[in-house]
Amino acid sequence: MGYINQVQGYRESLLETRSVIKKDNYAVITPDGLVNNVVPGFKDCDVTILGSPRLGARFVDYLVTVKNQGGNKTGFAGDGIQSFVYVVYGKINAFADGKRYELTEGGYLYVPPHLQLTFENNNNGEDSRLFLYKKRYQPLKGYTPEVVTGNVNDIEQEAYEGMKEVLIQDLLPKEIGYDMNIHILSFKPGASHGYIETHVQEHGAYVLSGRGMYNLDNEWMPVDKGDYIFMGAYVPQATYAIGLDEPFSYIYSKDANRDIDL
Ligand code: UGY
Ligand code: MN
């Protein structure tokens, strides 16, 4: 085990954390408490499991720091499980279906459930950091999702629900073959959601920049760059962006396009 922020030994102050865990409801997980998890298949990687079924999610999110020539060359997900990788910083080669995708900061690759994702660091000996996701695909007769790649720097930001200070990017096609999507929401300081959402979909969100006051189940709490937020089904959720110049932005997953199984 090791701490992701490389801090070891005793602290000057009393131990404390902003992390809040309400299983099956919501969680805010700050970087300070993260530990490395050994996950078979990942070599020369610090892997931390964030959201998971143990928290109440129907997906798994990971933060992965890939070192030197590290990566996952044995294969991640597949066999009914779809995956998605996003480069927070650094540069990797990702592979799916025999094709290579060079991903730099903001680059991403979605791999459908019938294929596996592999990747290796390609950042001249420097670390790369990845936000990684997997979820069992909910099939829909007649549809098969395909590999999707891109870079958020090439995707237009659109005004979110009529608010030009809140911008959204959709990273995957809005097509019924996909049972989820990945989005980035960016709020200018002072901007907010238009209402407190209460919806059946769940989210795993990783904060890419800025700060916000987040309402989760009617508790307001500060969240910062590097924090992870799990929002379970129906949990009330909304934010006010705070801070000075930097937008408060986060990448998040959202299930979509499917009825609820009984
Ligand atoms: O897409 C969403 O549901 C998004 N607006 N939720 C959120 O930011 N908590
Ligand atoms: Mn939402």
Side-chain angles (χ1 to χ4, degrees):
M1 293 223 285
Y3 295 106
I4 199 161
N5 61 7
Q6 310 295 328
V7 177
Q8 284 196 330
Y10 300 110
R11 301 282 168 96
E12 293 285 324
S13 56
L14 288 173
L15 297 178
E16 59 186 354
T17 183
R18 282 189 298 106
S19 295
V20 182
I21 308 293
K22 306 275 183 192
K23 282 191 187 164
D24 299 318
N25 191 8
Y26 70 86
V28 173
I29 301 179
T30 62
D32 194 44
L34 297 180
V35 300
N36 296 331
N37 304 126
V38 174
V39 181
F42 290 80
K43 211 173 144 278
D44 276 331
C45 292
D46 286 347
V47 182
T48 291
I49 297 173
L50 299 165
S52 80
R54 293 185 187 181
L55 193 57
R58 288 178 305 144
F59 54 81
V60 185
D61 282 332
Y62 309 76
L63 198 59
V64 182
T65 307
V66 198
K67 301 173 172 189
N68 307 316
Q69 301 302 307
N72 186 326
K73 292 170 195 165
T74 55
F76 179 75
D79 200 16
I81 297 177
Q82 59 200 330
S83 60
F84 175 89
V85 62
Y86 173 86
V87 179
V88 179
Y89 62 74
K91 191 165 127 194
I92 62 165
N93 285 324
F95 303 83
D97 207 13
K99 291 205 186 81
R100 181 173 74 91
Y101 301 88
E102 194 177 281
L103 304 179
T104 52
E105 190 167 317
Y108 63 88
L109 182 69
Y110 165 84
V111 180
H114 55 283
L115 297 174
Q116 282 199 311
L117 162 71
T118 61
F119 59 87
E120 63 192 13
N121 199 18
N122 179 27
N123 197 24
N124 304 314
E126 301 284 314
D127 294 353
S128 296
R129 181 157 291 171
L130 313 176
F131 182 58
L132 182 65
Y133 163 98
K134 71 175 181 185
K135 183 176 103 57
R136 183 167 292 283
Y137 178 69
Q138 232 181 306
L140 186 65
K141 209 166 168 213
Y143 295 90
T144 307
E146 294 174 357
V147 171
V148 182
T149 192
N151 189 299
V152 296
N153 297 309
D154 303 326
I155 299 179
E156 215 168 306
Q157 294 184 305
E158 289 179 19
Y160 184 64
E161 298 191 348
M163 298 173 290
K164 63 181 186 341
E165 295 78 15
V166 186
L167 300 170
I168 189 156
Q169 293 169 300
D170 306 320
L171 277 53
L172 301 185
K174 285 174 137 176
E175 290 167 15
I176 198 133
Y178 298 83
D179 73 346
M180 43 73 69
N181 210 321
I182 305 276
H183 310 276
I184 294 182
L185 259 180
S186 288
F187 300 77
K188 268 195 191 166
S192 71
H193 284 87
Y195 52 94
I196 296 195
E197 300 173 4
T198 47
H199 54 61
V200 68
Q201 297 95 336
E202 49 184 25
H203 303 310
Y206 180 71
V207 181
L208 297 169
S209 74
R211 291 177 173 165
M213 284 305 293
Y214 224 104
N215 184 314
L216 295 162
D217 202 13
N218 279 322
E219 296 285 341
W220 287 98
M221 56 200 93
V223 294
D224 204 352
K225 180 177 173 175
D227 287 356
Y228 175 78
I229 311 170
F230 165 63
M231 299 174 233
Y234 299 106
V235 69
Q237 55 192 262
T239 193
Y240 285 103
I242 57 173
L244 298 174
D245 299 326
E246 224 189 353
F248 173 46
S249 80
Y250 50 87
I251 184 167
Y252 68 100
S253 60
K254 182 173 186 176
D255 37 307
N257 301 326
R258 295 293 181 274
D259 197 359
I260 302 297
D261 284 337
L262 291 177

